[in-house]
Amino acid sequence: MIPSFFIAHGAPSLALEHNDYTTLLKNFAADYPKPKAIVLFSAHWESRQQQVSASTSPYETIYDFSGFQPELYQVQYPAPGEPSIANEIQALLQQEKIPASLDSDRGLDHGAWVILSLMYPAANIPVIALSVNRHLSNAEQYRIGKALSSLREKDILILGSGGTVHNLRRLEWGASRTTDWAAQFDGWLDEKLTAWDLESLLQYEQMAPYAKEAVPTPEHFIPLLLAMGTGDSSKKASLVHRSYQYGNLSLSCWKFD
């Protein structure tokens, strides 16, 4: 069974950077079998009801940001969609009484194409993007991921794209050291994820140190719970990488076997 992953997408400029984290992503295709398709939950596609992209043509690249270097707006990621898998995802969710709608128009936002352009630059693997809903409980997020876990048996790669520590108001431009509160929050996550302490993780807002600083709004954290849910059968999590941009913007990669 193919593993699923939570992958932080950092700042959009990550697509043009050269560091240990981007090297990891660029080597991803060599380290794991080529998937039949990629199912990706993006923190930058929010909706009140679960949305599933069902594009029949190559995706438009969405530049949902401003103020970055001009060459970033030249990056294109025209991956194909795969409506049959989108239909299968909708059916799996509906079996669990999770409402889901198909969307054939939306392109790929930077939560998707920033990491995919590094992992699979040829853009020749079908992508099915999924939205996140910040209004659901943490348990419901996990349940959505669990509902899709059988896709892994079909060599479909499931990715959650967000960030465990994502507070743009607390960034420290030019910082050479990791902010202490960010490290403490991520350290707590390390302990709970590796122990698969789901009870604590579902209450991270109340239990984790500096949760309000690390997760001022939940949309970037939700993809971690979604990806974790896909690993419910084995309950095995391992940290592949962690580093930080700007003192506390976490670049972490978690694998769920």
Side-chain angles (χ1 to χ4, degrees):
M1 188 187 310
I2 190 169
S4 52
F5 293 83
F6 169 78
I7 298 179
H9 59 250
S13 54
L14 185 76
L16 304 177
E17 295 175 6
H18 303 280
N19 51 47
D20 290 345
Y21 188 56
T22 59
T23 297
L24 171 80
L25 297 181
K26 289 174 182 177
N27 290 337
F28 189 94
D31 293 337
Y32 299 97
K34 183 178 179 179
K36 173 184 175 182
I38 299 168
V39 171
L40 186 146
F41 289 93
S42 173
H44 289 279
W45 184 7
E46 292 193 65
S47 64
R48 283 275 187 167
Q49 184 184 84
Q50 184 65 61
Q51 298 291 307
V52 183
S53 65
S55 175
T56 57
S57 58
Y59 285 100
E60 175 191 357
T61 304
I62 302 174
Y63 307 101
D64 49 340
F65 49 81
S66 61
F68 287 87
Q69 53 267 61
E71 55 266 39
L72 192 59
Y73 300 88
Q74 304 304 313
V75 177
Q76 297 281 321
Y77 199 78
E82 183 47 76
S84 65
I85 297 177
N87 288 326
E88 182 178 1
I89 290 170
Q90 184 184 39
L92 287 170
L93 293 171
Q94 290 178 341
Q95 284 175 18
E96 298 299 323
K97 295 181 169 49
I98 300 168
S101 301
L102 301 180
D103 184 312
S104 59
D105 298 322
R106 182 181 169 87
L108 295 179
D109 59 60
H110 82 270
W113 64 259
V114 164
I115 60 173
L116 292 179
S117 67
L118 295 168
M119 297 166 69
Y120 299 104
N124 59 359
I125 299 174
V127 175
I128 301 89
L130 285 86
S131 65
V132 301
N133 181 356
R134 69 166 72 196
H135 302 285
L136 299 178
S137 70
N138 293 331
E140 289 172 311
Q141 310 290 2
Y142 185 91
R143 189 167 73 93
I144 290 171
K146 185 178 178 180
L148 302 184
S149 60
S150 62
L151 296 174
R152 297 171 53 202
E153 300 172 4
K154 301 180 179 182
D155 296 325
I156 294 175
L157 175 63
I158 304 177
L159 303 178
S161 173
T164 57
V165 180
H166 187 273
N167 189 336
L168 301 185
R169 294 185 177 183
R170 298 293 297 272
L171 297 182
E172 298 178 8
W173 305 99
S176 58
R177 299 176 61 183
T178 302
T179 309
D180 181 67
W181 57 261
Q184 289 197 46
F185 178 80
D186 270 337
W188 183 90
L189 279 183
D190 291 356
E191 177 185 338
K192 303 306 179 184
L193 280 166
T194 53
W196 209 272
D197 183 351
L198 184 59
E199 182 178 355
S200 295
L201 286 163
L202 295 182
Q203 301 178 72
Y204 77 91
E205 298 103 319
Q206 294 79 35
M207 299 186 67
Y210 300 103
K212 290 183 179 180
E213 288 82 359
V215 189
T217 57
E219 75 288 339
H220 277 73
F221 193 87
I222 289 168
L224 175 66
L225 297 173
L226 293 163
M228 185 185 182
T230 68
D232 181 80
S233 60
S234 61
K235 296 179 172 60
K236 182 180 178 182
S238 52
L239 181 64
V240 179
H241 177 92
R242 170 167 297 123
S243 57
Y244 295 87
Q245 294 177 302
Y246 318 121
N248 53 61
L249 184 62
S250 63
L251 299 177
S252 54
C253 176
W254 280 92
K255 180 173 71 167
F256 302 100
D257 289 301

